[in-house]
Amino acid sequence: MKKVKVDEVFTEDKEQLRYTDGELEVRDDNGEDWEVKLYGVDNQRFFTDALKNNEKKHLTFETDKGSMYGLVSVEALDNAGVANEDVVTLVGTGPLNGFS
């Protein structure tokens, strides 16, 4: 299991998603089983629409280990019991490209 800090996230249309903190966790050695948690998310509509419509999204994650990208589904949206601390959980639905 490997965790890396997510510095920036971009949509397929190169729109930057705003949040305060993020982490990417890879649970296997080949990048097939992975998850991203974003904290303090500003772009809630992007995620709520994807969750409501059961849409998968292509996202690029900029990390200290380089760029990684893949297809995700929105697993959960919560406020973690803290005001203004919206947490989005994204689950990879395919390989995490750029992972090594």
Side-chain angles (χ1 to χ4, degrees):
M1 182 180 341
K2 298 176 184 172
K3 283 188 181 182
V4 294
K5 183 178 182 331
V6 177
D7 298 318
E8 295 178 303
V9 178
F10 295 93
T11 67
E12 198 170 19
D13 298 328
K14 307 292 187 238
E15 175 190 354
Q16 184 174 6
L17 301 177
R18 294 179 311 276
Y19 59 95
T20 55
D21 195 20
E23 64 183 20
L24 186 151
E25 178 180 358
V26 179
R27 299 186 196 110
D28 62 7
D29 290 333
N30 57 10
E32 295 285 333
D33 183 10
W34 55 282
E35 174 180 283
V36 175
K37 285 194 183 275
L38 301 176
Y39 302 89
V41 175
D42 285 343
N43 305 69
Q44 293 175 24
R45 184 173 187 109
F46 175 83
F47 295 110
T48 55
D49 287 350
L51 184 61
K52 180 176 71 172
N53 299 324
N54 199 27
E55 295 174 333
K56 293 178 174 57
K57 298 290 186 181
H58 284 278
L59 296 178
T60 299
F61 307 97
E62 296 296 336
T63 74
D64 60 350
K65 303 285 186 195
S67 294
M68 300 181 201
Y69 60 95
L71 193 62
V72 298
S73 65
V74 179
E75 181 78 9
L77 294 165
D78 351 67
N79 66 7
V82 180
N84 299 322
E85 183 67 8
D86 294 306
V87 179
V88 176
T89 303
L90 307 169
V91 174
T93 61
L96 178 61
N97 299 291
F99 171 74
S100 56

